[in-house]
Amino acid sequence: MLIINVITLVPYALAWISLKSRDETSYTKRVFRAIALVMIFDVGGWLVAVALTKLIYCIDMPNGNRLVLQFFCGCIVHFCIAIKPIIYYSSSTEYRNVLREFLGWDSIATSHAHSSSLGVKAEERSHLTN
């Protein structure tokens, strides 16, 4: 399991190298920061959960307590998975706009204006939502 977690770093490292080879703009820095945070939570969450699971079996304790701690380790992983949209939402205007539109948080006028700016006509958008 540890090997798989370490291999997961490869795509993140490739993305980092690709971004670093380009001109650094504020957009590139935001994207890199989002990728770095996702990597930290993704890989870090799995590593912490696996390490704690291994540690649980090294400590003498009742099986009921061990089961609760294993559940907690699973919660760590699920938290690290669930936080990814929050990271993207806070770092990307495009992701934020699409998510707001999907959840219906924007007014209809704002949604139509955003859709038109993406090349989708308002008539096509209303057809897709009906």
Side-chain angles (χ1 to χ4, degrees), residues 1 11 55 100 110 117 124:
M1 188 68 161
L55 183 64
R100 283 180 179 172
T110 305
S117 70
E124 292 174 5

Side-chain angles (χ1 to χ4, degrees), residues 45-46 49-50 52-53 56 67-81:
W46 279 103
V50 169
L52 286 176
T53 302
I56 289 168
L67 184 63
V68 170
L69 290 174
Q70 286 176 331
F71 177 76
F72 176 72
C73 290
C75 289
I76 292 172
V77 171
H78 289 293
F79 171 77
C80 291
I81 291 170

Side-chain angles (χ1 to χ4, degrees), residues 52-67 69:
L52 286 176
T53 302
K54 297 289 183 186
L55 183 64
I56 289 168
Y57 286 102
C58 294
I59 300 171
D60 186 34
M61 66 176 70
N63 283 338
N65 292 354
R66 188 170 284 131
L67 184 63
L69 290 174

Side-chain angles (χ1 to χ4, degrees), residues 8-44:
T8 305
L9 292 173
V10 172
Y12 292 116
L14 292 175
W16 179 76
I17 291 168
S18 174
L19 286 173
K20 282 296 186 182
S21 67
R22 299 178 184 177
D23 293 334
E24 287 196 29
T25 62
S26 62
Y27 178 75
T28 305
K29 288 179 183 178
R30 280 195 323 264
V31 169
F32 176 69
R33 191 173 340 148
I35 290 172
L37 283 172
V38 167
M39 181 197 68
I40 289 167
F41 277 100
D42 195 12
V43 176

